[in-house]
């Protein structure tokens, strides 16, 4: 691929997560402001593990947007691809946690600044200057950011980058579920590495049962239909199922006490991509042992992120992840 400026570049939503944080003296719920957005969470995980990263996205020219830029800089993520919008406020998401720490979202995004990113605002030195390019499906939910995303992915792919994709399913952000599925599947056509939850696998394949028979068949279907190098199906406490053209199997989850699952999938993805960037061979050429080792590392990274509140603030260091791995073995 020649010399690249960045190890990883990601494009997508960047927003404010308001996360429950106890109650006030009068008994009303308190909300804590946190930086949010899956692509940035993945970059933050990669940066914390020592990789050189950059972000492409759009926030409002408002106090929240300034805060989010400052967060990028503090996390060691290059902000040259961050655009400030005068036409929309920074997107917000209000996070609800159930008794198990699982999340649901209410988005304030009609539109949010992230949805207004345009193709001409995508800097070619970022898409062409990276070893790995990561994106998700949230930036495919509006016409403007969809064009920008698909353009950026194509440029990165033509420049030889490994493409990773996380089709996060957020039904309230799509006009219809059918339209959402069409565009989510379009991302699969561009990717080498894909991470889905078991629920998202069922959605993308139309197989309603996430238990082992349908899980294996659904994973095989996606890998063969879209020519994926690696498909990772995250299943929470049940671990991760992996599928390539040659291998299929499961790796057990690391055991932890979960406090908040926000960002766990992104921490998992960042840890896995760290192993991809650290390898001398592409994942398509890995042995099954190397693949299983990378998935185990990613499981530990994801599990560790559930032991603390928030997304970026909950990410583990290399030493913490390796320590948890040792305890899991």
């Amino acid at each position: 691929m020649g010399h690249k400026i960045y190890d990883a570049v990601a494009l997508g939503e960047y927003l404010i997560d308001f996360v429950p944080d106890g109650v006030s003296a009068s008994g009303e719920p308190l909300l804590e402001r946190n930086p949010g957005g899956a692509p940035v969470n993945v970059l933050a995980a990669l940066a914390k593990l020592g990789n050189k990263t950059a972000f492409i996205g759009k926030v409002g020219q408002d106090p929240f947007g300034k805060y989010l830029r400052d967060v990028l800089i503090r996390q060691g993520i290059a902000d040259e691809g961050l655009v400030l919008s005068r036409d929309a406020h920074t997107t917000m998401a209000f996070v609800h946690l159930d008794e198990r720490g699982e999340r649901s979202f209410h988005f304030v995004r009609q539109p949010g600044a992230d949805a207004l990113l345009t193709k001409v605002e995508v800097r070619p030195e970022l898409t062409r200057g990276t070893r790995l390019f990561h994106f998700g499906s949230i930036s495919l939910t509006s016409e403007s950011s969809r064009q920008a995303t698909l353009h950026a992915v194509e440029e990165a792919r033509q420049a030889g980058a490994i493409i990773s994709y996380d089709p996060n399913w957020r039904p309230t952000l799509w006009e219809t579920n059918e339209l959402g599925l069409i565009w989510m599947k379009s991302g699969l056509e561009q990717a080498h590495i894909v991470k889905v939850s078991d629920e998202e696998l069922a959605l993308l394949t139309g197989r309603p049962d996430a238990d082992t028979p349908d899980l294996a068949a659904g994973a095989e279907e996606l890998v063969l239909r879209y020519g994926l190098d690696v498909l990772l199906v995250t299943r929470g406490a049940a671990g991760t199922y992996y599928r390539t053209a040659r291998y299929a199997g499961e790796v057990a989850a690391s055991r932890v006490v979960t406090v908040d699952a926000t960002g766990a999938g992104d921490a998992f993805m960042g840890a896995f991509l760290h192993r991809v960037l650290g390898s001398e061979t592409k994942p398509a050429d890995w042995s099954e042992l190397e693949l299983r080792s990378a998935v185990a590392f990613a499981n530990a990274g994801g599990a560790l992120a559930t032991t603390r509140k928030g997304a970026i603030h909950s990410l583990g260091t290399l030493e913490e992840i390796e320590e948890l791995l040792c305890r899991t073995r």
Side-chain angles (χ1 to χ4, degrees):
M1 288 188 287
H3 176 69
K4 300 293 183 180
I5 301 170
Y6 293 102
D7 295 314
V9 170
L11 178 150
E13 73 278 11
Y14 193 24
L15 48 88
I16 299 292
D17 278 340
F18 284 107
V19 182
D21 188 31
V23 296
S24 68
S26 59
E28 296 297 330
L30 295 173
L31 298 174
E32 180 182 71
R33 177 191 69 175
N34 280 300
V40 174
N41 295 340
V42 171
L43 288 181
L46 282 165
K48 197 157 191 174
L49 295 172
N51 300 280
K52 189 175 182 183
T53 65
F55 175 66
I56 301 170
K58 200 167 194 175
V59 296
Q61 194 166 358
D62 52 39
F64 286 149
K66 181 181 183 302
Y67 162 71
L68 291 176
R69 182 188 288 278
D70 290 343
V71 169
L72 284 184
I73 294 168
R74 289 202 306 271
Q75 295 298 317
I77 302 168
D79 66 338
E80 61 191 279
L82 186 68
V83 182
L84 299 180
S85 172
R86 295 177 178 270
D87 301 319
H89 291 288
T90 300
T91 299
M92 294 177 283
F94 291 84
V95 182
H96 172 73
L97 301 177
D98 66 18
E99 61 277 2
R100 296 174 300 168
E102 294 297 328
R103 306 156 298 153
S104 59
F105 297 86
H106 172 71
F107 289 92
V108 181
R109 187 186 187 242
Q110 295 178 334
D114 72 292
L116 300 182
L117 182 71
T118 65
K119 189 161 69 171
V120 297
E121 291 171 329
V122 175
R123 300 179 65 159
E125 62 268 30
L126 296 180
T127 54
R128 298 171 190 166
T130 184
R131 296 170 56 204
L132 183 147
F133 187 88
H134 178 72
F135 72 112
S137 59
I138 305 302
S139 60
L140 301 176
T141 56
S142 74
E143 178 64 24
S144 181
S145 61
R146 179 163 60 240
Q147 289 186 11
T149 301
L150 296 177
H151 166 74
V153 171
E154 179 63 23
E155 281 216 325
R157 190 176 172 115
Q158 287 185 357
I162 297 170
I163 307 298
S164 68
Y165 174 51
D166 184 358
N168 272 319
W169 177 238
R170 300 288 183 264
T172 59
L173 295 181
W174 296 98
E175 292 179 25
T176 66
N177 286 357
E178 292 75 18
L179 187 65
L181 278 173
I182 288 170
W183 285 113
M184 284 174 69
K185 289 177 180 178
S186 75
L188 296 171
E189 297 171 358
Q190 307 298 323
H192 301 108
I193 301 168
V194 172
K195 178 192 77 68
V196 293
S197 67
D198 47 4
E199 293 91 349
E200 288 158 351
L201 177 66
L203 183 75
L204 291 167
T205 61
R207 299 173 183 270
D209 189 354
D211 289 337
T212 301
D214 272 356
L215 176 70
E220 181 181 29
E221 177 185 327
L222 288 191
V223 168
L224 297 182
R225 177 184 295 179
Y226 296 101
L228 305 178
D229 291 348
V230 180
L231 176 69
L232 302 164
V233 185
T234 56
R235 308 181 68 203
T240 300
Y241 184 88
Y242 60 85
R243 186 70 166 91
T244 72
R246 294 184 290 166
Y247 311 122
E250 296 181 76
V251 178
S254 297
R255 293 186 178 275
V256 295
V257 177
T258 295
V259 173
D260 177 7
T262 305
D266 305 325
F268 170 96
M269 192 61 162
F272 185 83
L273 296 178
H274 172 69
R275 282 294 187 89
V276 171
L277 290 168
S279 175
E280 294 181 358
T281 56
K282 291 186 176 181
D285 300 320
W286 281 359
S287 68
E288 188 167 16
L289 182 62
E290 188 171 7
L291 176 59
R292 289 183 64 86
S293 175
V295 174
F297 182 80
N299 278 352
L304 190 62
T306 72
T307 64
R308 299 183 278 246
K309 284 189 176 181
I312 288 178
H313 301 316
S314 70
L315 295 168
T317 64
L318 182 60
E319 292 74 21
E320 288 176 321
I321 294 173
E322 289 179 340
E323 181 184 347
L324 180 56
L325 257 182
C326 289
R327 295 205 307 267
T328 304
R329 289 180 181 134

